[in-house]
Amino acid sequence: MALLLLGPLAAQISGSIGGLTFARNKGGDYCRNRTVPVDPQTILQLNARAAFGALSARWGSVLTAAQRSSWDAYAAAVPLVNPLGESISVSGQNMYIRGNMIHLLGSLSPVDNAPFTNTLGPAVADFEFTATGSTSLLEITSFSSPADPADNVLIQQSGPQNTSVNFYKGPWRIVAVKTVATILATYPAPYPILGGQLTFLRMSVLTPDGRLGQDRIESKQALP
């Protein structure tokens, strides 16, 4: 389903209609043939689906009516931003799963009580990293955010990309879930790293009370 943002002279479009997919990158709007991705049933995909299913079931069978109502109230008070930059409201269940997916994939306990603070998690202001092909290692060398040292950071990596790519949407693989205090470290890369090609990293902060912040994406040309 495509999203339309009407203007006085033209429409901005994002999504798929029929056999065409519309999107936007740093170069502007573009259109390509729609492709249906293959489903290789990787361990990461299976883990993500299992986590989603477990949280969906937990929402209905473990959370109390009062807890669900609190998540509904939090979701209504904290809009998200869609691909067109518009503020949208999601359901309490979606907001509950949004943050807790990271908890489960990072081997952390789920947070069943909705946050008392009606904001998203802290934003990632900036970060720097190196990617080395010969060792297939990622090193986070700097990280800047108003987050608390105890907050968790989700780190995700792209597969190798050509240096002409200036916008990457996915798929992503989880590198690690680390606290802000321990994030400056070296990590094995879940995707292969090819020297000379780009590696994209995406980071977002998750607070202990389940508030997930907007992500930030940076790229580096990998070392040999």
Side-chain angles (χ1 to χ4, degrees):
M1 177 176 175
L3 298 175
L4 300 176
L5 182 61
L6 299 178
L9 297 178
Q12 189 179 53
I13 185 169
S14 175
S16 296
I17 298 177
L20 298 177
T21 294
F22 300 87
R24 181 178 178 84
N25 60 21
K26 292 181 180 179
D29 297 312
Y30 69 93
C31 175
R32 58 178 171 80
N33 290 329
R34 183 182 184 186
T35 57
V36 178
V38 297
D39 185 5
Q41 297 285 333
T42 65
I43 295 298
L44 290 169
Q45 286 177 323
L46 294 174
N47 287 344
R49 291 169 188 164
F52 183 88
L55 291 170
S56 296
R58 189 177 182 86
W59 172 267
S61 62
V62 176
L63 268 67
T64 65
Q67 286 174 317
R68 291 193 293 270
S69 294
S70 294
W71 277 103
D72 288 337
Y74 173 72
V78 183
L80 302 179
V81 178
N82 73 6
L84 296 179
E86 300 171 307
S87 292
I88 59 171
S89 293
V90 300
S91 70
Q93 183 179 13
N94 286 342
M95 195 69 86
Y96 170 75
I97 292 174
R98 178 175 180 264
N100 275 304
M101 279 283 290
I102 297 172
H103 274 109
L104 292 193
L105 293 174
S107 299
L108 304 171
S109 298
V111 176
D112 291 336
N113 293 321
F116 289 107
T117 304
N118 286 334
T119 63
L120 294 175
V124 178
D126 193 19
F127 65 88
E128 293 288 338
F129 72 97
T130 59
T132 306
S134 59
T135 58
S136 205
L137 292 175
L138 298 162
E139 182 180 5
I140 311 299
T141 55
S142 70
F143 179 83
S144 176
S145 171
D148 186 271
D151 289 347
N152 287 297
V153 182
L154 172 67
I155 310 170
Q156 296 173 291
Q157 180 208 356
S158 75
Q161 304 294 312
N162 291 329
T163 54
S164 59
V165 174
N166 56 20
F167 177 83
Y168 183 80
K169 191 175 181 180
W172 301 93
R173 287 185 180 174
I174 295 178
V175 177
V177 178
K178 299 281 286 185
T179 63
V180 172
T182 61
I183 194 172
L184 300 185
T186 301
Y187 306 91
Y191 271 120
I193 298 174
L194 299 182
Q197 294 205 297
L198 289 181
T199 293
F200 287 79
L201 285 192
R202 179 169 72 174
M203 293 194 191
S204 51
V205 174
L206 180 67
T207 62
D209 62 355
R211 293 179 295 120
L212 179 63
Q214 297 286 354
D215 57 42
R216 183 177 182 89
I217 299 173
E218 299 287 352
S219 64
K220 286 291 182 182
Q221 187 170 4
L223 301 172

